Amino acid sequence: NIQLFDISSISQMRQRKWVWWLALCSYRFACRLEQLQNKVLSPHDKVTRREYRERQRSLLNNTLNLLEDLADLDGGHHETIAAAVCEHLADTFLWSDEAEGDVGPRDSSKPAPWASSSQPYRKVTPDCLNKAHDHLMNGIKKLTPPLTKARAKNSPIEIEALSTQLYGIHHKLINVCLKL
């Protein structure tokens, strides 16, 4: 039994420490919901899965809002975390119940066509693809300024970390665009 509470009222105190703490708790709860959905829920319980996914999206959006509030309080922009949250939001649209692969029986004597079996997001609706695209683009926009700063500072560790995160987001974005 999961009980979720709206703790956003605590963030009205406008203290950076609390806003940061609430943002990370919200993000952690969203990740836990994803784990629960994948491990505990039956694949056939679509109603509960949809409710979990909606709650997960709400928590991730709350995380982004709290990170923006933190930036307004001069608490830093935390671009890499915000980009990861955007990527998780996109994932909630890419891996929904409607997006899961074929569940019908397949003739095992015939090999599966390679192209159709390796296309990601082949069952995702265009609306979900567009929403995922928007969240992925938002993540890229958040990472571009820090990458520019890291290049100006000639910081190889920062450049590699940001480039790796951008690579992953771009990879998903390309697959989404190919499907659109």
Side-chain angles (χ1 to χ4, degrees):
N1 187 14
I2 296 176
Q3 292 184 351
L4 300 174
F5 301 96
D6 182 15
I7 55 175
S8 59
S9 61
I10 297 174
S11 68
Q12 300 303 321
M13 295 188 324
R14 310 289 294 165
Q15 295 179 359
R16 285 187 298 214
K17 174 178 74 173
W18 286 106
V19 175
W20 172 251
W21 183 81
L22 288 173
L24 290 185
C25 279
S26 185
Y27 182 61
R28 184 178 172 104
F29 291 154
C31 292
R32 290 288 180 150
L33 272 177
E34 181 180 12
Q35 290 173 353
L36 280 172
Q37 183 177 350
N38 293 335
K39 292 182 181 180
V40 176
L41 291 180
S42 164
H44 304 292
D45 188 1
K46 294 188 185 279
V47 173
T48 307
R49 284 180 166 276
R50 191 173 301 115
E51 289 172 357
Y52 273 39
R53 195 170 42 253
E54 287 301 318
R55 185 61 184 151
Q56 182 184 8
R57 287 178 187 152
S58 173
L59 287 165
L60 291 169
N61 280 317
N62 187 42
T63 301
L64 285 176
N65 291 336
L66 288 167
L67 289 173
E68 288 174 10
D69 289 349
L70 187 63
D72 291 343
L73 294 170
D74 296 327
H77 292 279
H78 305 284
E79 296 94 344
T80 57
I81 293 173
V85 172
C86 290
E87 188 174 3
H88 277 276
L89 267 168
D91 286 341
T92 66
F93 291 101
L94 297 174
W95 300 113
S96 63
D97 292 332
E98 297 82 21
E100 290 180 5
D102 296 331
V103 293
R106 189 176 72 76
D107 184 3
S108 61
S109 65
K110 296 179 184 176
W114 186 80
S116 66
S117 65
S118 66
Q119 290 176 347
Y121 321 133
R122 69 179 183 265
K123 298 276 186 177
V124 180
T125 64
D127 182 49
C128 287
L129 287 169
N130 281 320
K131 289 176 182 177
H133 177 273
D134 294 343
H135 288 296
L136 292 170
M137 287 302 296
N138 192 17
I140 290 170
K141 289 176 186 172
K142 291 183 182 304
L143 289 176
T144 304
L147 181 61
T148 305
K149 288 179 190 174
R151 285 184 179 153
K153 291 190 307 186
N154 197 19
S155 174
I157 293 174
E158 286 181 64
I159 292 170
E160 185 173 344
L162 291 165
S163 297
T164 302
Q165 189 173 2
L166 273 168
Y167 175 81
I169 295 173
H170 273 100
H171 189 274
K172 282 184 186 176
L173 183 64
I174 289 169
N175 284 323
V176 166
C177 288
L178 287 173
K179 191 63 189 143
L180 283 172

